[in-house]
DNA sequence: TATTGTTATACTCTATAACTATA
DNA sequence: TATAGTTATAGAGTATAACAATA
């Protein structure tokens, strides 16, 4: 029996990614990064990155929310939230007020400026998401969101 | 007109995340991180993180693939690939051979050990994905993957 | 004793600039 | 002149440990 059919190492013409594309995790990660890439560029106008945006949005929709509640809702760690909240307070988007029932905690409240900015930012977020997935119909987008929530909620 | 209805700052009982949950990017990111979390724990047994796994899988399914082709296929940057490839070569999972047509490039080839390990790892990946999304039916999983690919492919 | 918020710090992941060898 | 691969390094993003104040 001979060994290898010839002495030349094979080269790849077209990369075959079929196996990876059968994996849910691979597809979810690639799709998420694709949308986030568009998000990053647009939201830089408002000085928001994805997590900043989520934090600010939750504060607007939940006036008086605490840092601990934000961390739980967004699955982030307390030390990594401190800088974001400080930056938003410095920008005049939120204020801290003592929590009515818990002396350890501080309630986070949106300022009028914060509410106004987030109204614009949330509208931008919706528009950029449509632009980031132009081949998705409205019905497909709805189905996709429902199925994604079955994974993490 | 009076000012605020009373002097106490409101507190939040149940956090309302309804707005964020209407965003495709938010849901895609949360779902991807949820699956990746399970992936990280299981694949640590094989000393693979998500990108390592993708790189090794593409090499097995595309013997002779170059670093450049890997970077393009996986959307990663060349400097960040070097360490992964070196580590896999050191582990005996792959070998480098000169590219037949391009003296600048090196073809990456799986060793028998690399093929054997990836056969196990790919099987594990499939199983852990099912476990990471237990509420998804087979049909829903298929639909979800198809819709995710409409975003990034 | 447990929890909220915070500081300091380490580790991982990703991005940029510049170099070499070859096309 | 452009590209493949590499090195060095900088910047985000995420993680753990430990502390003060309050429950």
């Amino acid at each position: 029996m001979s060994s290898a059919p010839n002495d030349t190492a094979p080269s790849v013409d077209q990369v075959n990614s079929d196996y990876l594309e059968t994996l849910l995790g691979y597809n979810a990660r690639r799709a998420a990064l694709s949308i986030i890439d568009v998000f990053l560029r647009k939201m830089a106008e408002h000085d928001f990155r994805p997590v900043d945006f989520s934090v600010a949005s939750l504060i607007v929709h939940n006036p008086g929310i605490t840092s601990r509640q934000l961390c739980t809702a967004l699955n982030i760690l307390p030390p990594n939230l401190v800088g974001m909240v400080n930056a938003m307070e410095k920008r005049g988007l939120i204020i801290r007020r003592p929590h009515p029932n818990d002396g350890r905690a501080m309630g986070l409240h949106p300022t009028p400026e914060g509410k106004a900015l987030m109204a614009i930012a949330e509208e931008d977020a919706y528009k950029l998401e449509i632009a980031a997935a132009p081949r998705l119909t409205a019905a497909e987008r709805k189905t996709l969101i429902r199925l994604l929530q079955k994974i993490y909620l």
Side-chain angles (χ1 to χ4, degrees), chain A:
Chain A
M1 298 300 183
S2 69
S3 55
N6 58 48
D7 288 359
T8 65
S11 69
V12 173
D13 179 27
Q14 189 75 17
V15 175
N16 183 330
S17 302
D18 287 353
Y19 168 75
L20 288 179
E21 287 167 12
T22 68
L23 294 179
L24 185 51
Y26 176 79
N27 287 289
R29 183 170 182 270
R30 292 297 300 266
L33 289 174
S34 173
I35 297 174
I36 289 169
D37 191 62
V38 178
F39 188 97
L40 281 169
R41 270 194 275 276
K42 182 65 181 174
M43 282 298 159
E45 295 175 11
H46 304 304
D47 244 298
F48 280 139
R49 279 161 304 173
V51 184
D52 299 310
F53 174 87
S54 297
V55 168
S57 176
L58 282 185
I59 294 173
V60 166
H61 293 285
N62 299 270
I65 193 172
T66 67
S67 293
R68 183 60 173 161
Q69 288 176 310
L70 280 171
C71 287
T72 300
L74 295 174
N75 197 31
I76 57 182
L77 295 168
N80 301 328
L81 181 65
V82 176
M84 298 183 225
V85 169
N86 286 341
M88 287 181 208
E89 191 177 35
K90 210 162 201 170
R91 287 174 68 184
L93 302 180
I94 64 170
I95 54 171
R96 293 171 209 244
R97 296 169 67 184
H99 191 280
N101 311 328
D102 190 334
R104 296 169 300 181
M106 294 294 285
L108 304 175
H109 300 260
T111 62
E113 292 77 15
K115 287 185 209 172
L117 177 59
M118 283 312 294
I120 298 170
E122 290 186 351
E123 184 66 23
D124 286 348
Y126 178 75
K127 282 189 252 175
L128 78 84
E129 289 215 348
I130 302 300
R135 292 164 53 212
L136 236 46
T137 68
E140 285 175 331
R141 185 174 184 277
K142 191 175 172 186
T143 298
L144 181 48
I145 288 176
R146 179 176 61 80
L147 295 179
L148 289 170
Q149 289 177 354
K150 283 187 89 167
I151 297 174
Y152 79 92
L153 273 187

